[in-house]
Structures are given as structure tokens and as C-alpha cells.
């Protein structure tokens, strides 16, 4: 089988406390997607690594689904002529709050645009188109934008376009602890209120700005005081058994700031030292208080987003 393209896309942690739906961080844990010439049977897929036992191997697979949807908005899709085989090598745990589905959406879009416009899809205009489409599909851009651009990205929608601002960070290391708990993003969004008070809005706006400045400057003291949230965490943490205790355990173990990773169930802890001890403390808390087994990763921020190798 002829390999046409390989794409690596990093894990991401969205929200970062007060930045609900508006900011995210790329992490040094990668899903790799290969596009091969197919054998005339449409688009087929196989998955290895994280999720290999649960991910579908037909056209309902998110990479395949997204690629076909995107292709068919531009050209009639003919499975005999447009035949590809996709190989997914996954390091990002599925359903963890680390943006695994965003990596799949981006891979599907990048593959579709690579097929449609092999020379243009990597241009700035091509990337902007892909980001806009990913934002439309996801409904928010706080995973897809850092996955595409790397580092810390602020992202907002404006009249059908997406505004992003990428911020380079000093070396930053986090611990992410992911319990074995099914917490669908759609459910995690459904538990949120439709309206918030002015006090809560002000609480979050100020802290979101401070978190950006703290991360940009590597200001540990500011980060530890600013990373707090009233939009999503108070509603989601209690729904994840042991999450409140895991957050408390990480802080007691010396983490600077601890927050839900995206919509969860993973917990993200910023720390300057003792990363393994913090990961183990969160694991123990999930087991003791929530009866859940958990895994943890010590990860650096990824300065690069999606990488394409032809
Ligand atoms: N900002 C999103 C949320 C991230 O918290 O629901 C998950 O996709």
C-alpha cells in the first residue's frame, strides 16, 4: 500500500480553568494518522494503541466520517475512485478530556483538503479554512485550535470566522490524571446552567486574563491564585466520582493549580516539581474516594501543533 501522507496531532487541554470554550493548551502526547492509497473499497480504517478495542473500523470512525463529509461538500464522492486506507496510531486516551476527538476531526479535514488541494492545504489560507471547519464541527475551538497551532491558543468565534491568538510559553510541565469513567462531552455540557450571574462572569473574565499572563510569564504564584472557575467546574467536578478529592490531593502534594481538563473526566495539574508524586496522589484519591482506577501522564506543553509529513 502506498503511503501518501502522515499527520501527527497533539493532545490538548481545553478551558484551563476560567477560559471555558475560549482557550486550550497543546500537550506533548500525539495521535499519528497515515493516509495510504486504498484498494478500491472506499475509505477504510484501522486503529492501534489507545482506543483500538472500542473505536469503530468502518465509516462511522470520526476520521473517516469527517473526511467523507468534507470531500462531499466539494466533489461527488465515488468510493471506487477515491479509495484510501487510514492507519491511526493513538497515544491520546479516548474520552479523557485530552482532545482525542479533535485530533480525529482535524485528521479527517487535513486528509480531505490534502486530497482536494495537495499544494494549498498547508498554506496559511488552507490552515485557516481547516480551523474554521473544525470550529463549526466541534462548536467551539479550544481543542482544535491548539491542536492545529501548538502551545497556548486563545480562540473565539466572530460572525462565522474564528479569531485565534497563539502564545509561546516558557517550558511548562503538567500532570494529567484520567480516571476510567465515562463522561461524554455532550453530557458534561448538559449539566451546565444556561445563564450565569454578572458576578460569575466577572469572576471568570478577570481570572482568564490572569491565567494567560501567568502562563506566558511562567509566573507560578499568579497561576496558583488565578486558576479558578465558576462556569463549568462547580457543575462537573461533583459528577465525576473522586474528582474533587483528586484535585485536593494534587494541591496538597504541591501542585500550583489544578483544573478539569476540558470537559473531563481528566484532571490537569500544573507543577514545577514532584510530578510523579502528584500523579500518584490523584490516582490514589480517585481510587479511595471514587472507586475508580486512573492513569496519569507527565507532559510538557507542545510548542508545535499538527505536523504533516509527505
Ligand atoms: N470547552 C469544551 C467544554 C471542551 O468544556 O465543554 C470539551 O470539548
Amino acid at each position: 500500500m502506498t503511503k501518501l501522507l502522515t499527520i501527527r496531532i497533539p493532545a490538548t487541554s481545553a478551558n484551563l480553568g476560567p477560559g471555558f470554550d475560549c482557550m486550550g493548551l497543546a500537550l506533548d502526547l500525539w495521535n499519528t494518522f497515515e493516509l495510504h492509497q486504498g484498494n478500491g473499497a472506499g475509505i477504510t480504517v484501522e486503529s492501534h494503541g489507545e482506543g483500538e478495542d472500542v473505536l469503530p473500523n468502518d465509516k462511522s470512525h470520526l476520521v473517516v466520517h469527517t473526511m467523507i463529509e468534507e470531500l462531499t461538500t466539494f466533489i461527488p464522492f465515488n468510493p471506487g475512485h477515491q479509495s484510501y486506507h487510514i492507519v491511526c496510531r493513538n497515544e491520546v486516551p479516548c474520552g479523557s478530556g485530552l482532545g482525542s476527538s479533535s485530533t480525529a476531526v482535524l485528521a479527517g479535514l487535513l486528509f480531505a483538503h490534502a486530497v482536494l488541494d495537495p499544494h494549498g492545504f498547508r498554506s496559511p489560507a488552507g490552515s485557516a479554512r481547516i480551523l474554521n471547519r473544525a470550529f463549526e464541527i466541534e462548536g467551539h475551538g479550544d481543542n482544535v485550535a491548539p491542536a492545529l497551532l501548538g502551545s497556548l491558543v486563545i480562540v473565539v468565534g466572530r460572525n462565522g470566522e474564528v479569531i485565534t491568538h497563539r502564545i509561546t510559553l516558557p517550558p511548562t510541565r503538567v500532570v494529567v490524571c484520567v480516571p476510567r469513567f465515562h463522561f461524554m462531552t455532550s453530557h458534561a455540557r448538559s449539566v451546565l446552567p444556561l445563564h450565569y450571574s454578572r458576578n460569575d462572569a466577572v469572576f471568570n473574565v478577570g481570572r482568564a486574563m490572569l491565567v494567560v499572563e501567568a502562563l506566558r510569564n511562567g509566573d507560578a504564584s499568579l497561576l496558583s491564585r488565578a486558576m479558578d472557575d465558576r462556569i463549568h467546574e462547580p457543575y462537573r467536578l461533583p459528577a465525576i466520582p473522586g474528582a474533587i478529592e483528586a484535585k485536593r490531593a494534587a494541591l496538597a502534594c504541591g501542585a500550583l493549580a489544578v483544573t478539569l481538563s476540558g470537559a473531563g473526566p481528566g484532571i490537569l495539574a500544573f507543577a514545577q516539581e514532584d510530578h510523579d508524586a502528584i500523579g500518584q496522589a490523584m490516582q490514589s484519591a480517585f481510587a479511595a474516594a471514587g472507586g475508580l482506577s486512573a492513569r496519569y501522564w507527565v507532559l510538557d506543553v507542545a510548542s508545535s501543533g499538527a505536523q504533516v509529513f509527505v
Side-chain angles (χ1 to χ4, degrees):
M1 241 182 326
T2 313
K3 195 200 291 184
L4 305 169
L5 197 64
T6 301
I7 299 173
R8 293 176 82 220
I9 305 178
T12 45
S13 185
N15 299 329
L16 305 176
F20 179 72
D21 275 3
C22 298
M23 62 185 177
L25 201 57
L27 299 173
D28 191 17
L29 185 71
W30 300 78
N31 282 349
T32 303
F33 304 93
E34 298 167 4
L35 185 70
H36 298 257
Q37 199 69 61
N39 56 8
I43 302 181
T44 54
V45 64
E46 64 185 78
S47 299
H48 303 277
E50 292 290 333
E52 64 182 13
D53 300 332
V54 292
L55 290 169
N57 57 6
D58 57 18
K59 62 180 194 281
S60 67
H61 188 290
L62 192 51
V63 180
V64 181
H65 174 81
T66 308
M67 184 177 175
I68 293 175
E69 289 280 303
E70 192 65 6
L71 284 173
T72 49
T73 61
F74 294 94
I75 49 172
F77 180 68
N78 178 335
H81 293 138
Q82 287 135 311
S83 177
Y84 300 99
H85 183 65
I86 295 169
V87 180
C88 309
R89 302 187 194 284
N90 299 332
E91 290 182 351
V92 183
C94 301
S96 59
L98 286 172
S100 68
S101 61
S102 292
T103 71
V105 167
L106 281 177
L109 291 174
L110 284 160
F111 283 157
H113 285 274
V115 166
L116 292 164
D117 182 9
H119 302 296
F121 82 104
R122 296 163 78 182
S123 68
S127 285
R129 243 191 327 272
I130 285 166
L131 184 59
N132 273 284
R133 284 291 293 129
F135 189 101
E136 266 172 37
I137 293 167
E138 294 268 281
H140 43 87
D142 49 348
N143 287 112
V144 287
L148 196 60
L149 304 174
S151 197
L152 170 65
V153 181
I154 302 172
V155 53
V156 297
R158 180 178 182 267
N159 302 333
E161 61 156 343
V162 181
I163 302 175
T164 57
H165 185 68
R166 179 187 180 283
I167 296 164
T168 301
L169 301 188
T172 303
R173 183 166 288 178
V174 301
V175 188
V176 189
C177 185
V178 179
R180 281 191 207 287
F181 182 66
H182 193 60
F183 197 54
M184 298 260 299
T185 300
S186 51
H187 176 65
R189 293 182 81 81
S190 76
V191 302
L192 304 182
L194 287 178
H195 304 284
Y196 294 89
S197 68
R198 184 195 301 176
N199 276 350
D200 287 352
V202 171
F203 183 97
N204 267 59
V205 170
R207 280 164 180 76
M209 292 190 279
L210 291 176
V211 163
V212 170
E213 285 308 300
L215 290 172
R216 186 208 304 274
N217 298 314
D219 186 336
S221 158
L222 184 59
L223 188 69
S224 68
R225 288 176 292 145
M227 191 168 269
D228 203 354
D229 163 72
R230 287 191 185 166
I231 302 255
H232 67 112
E233 271 204 18
Y235 308 97
R236 289 169 166 174
L237 276 187
I240 305 167
I244 291 172
E245 291 82 359
K247 176 171 175 169
R248 211 175 282 147
L251 289 169
C253 209
L256 299 168
V258 183
T259 185
L260 202 56
S261 184
I267 303 278
L268 174 76
F270 290 83
Q272 288 174 316
E273 54 195 14
D274 296 333
H275 297 90
D276 280 300
I278 290 167
Q280 285 156 16
M282 288 196 277
Q283 266 184 327
S284 303
F286 271 122
L292 299 177
S293 66
R295 296 183 288 166
Y296 76 87
W297 287 258
V298 176
L299 300 170
D300 290 321
V301 168
S303 55
S304 154
Q307 301 168 344
V308 177
F309 306 92
V310 181

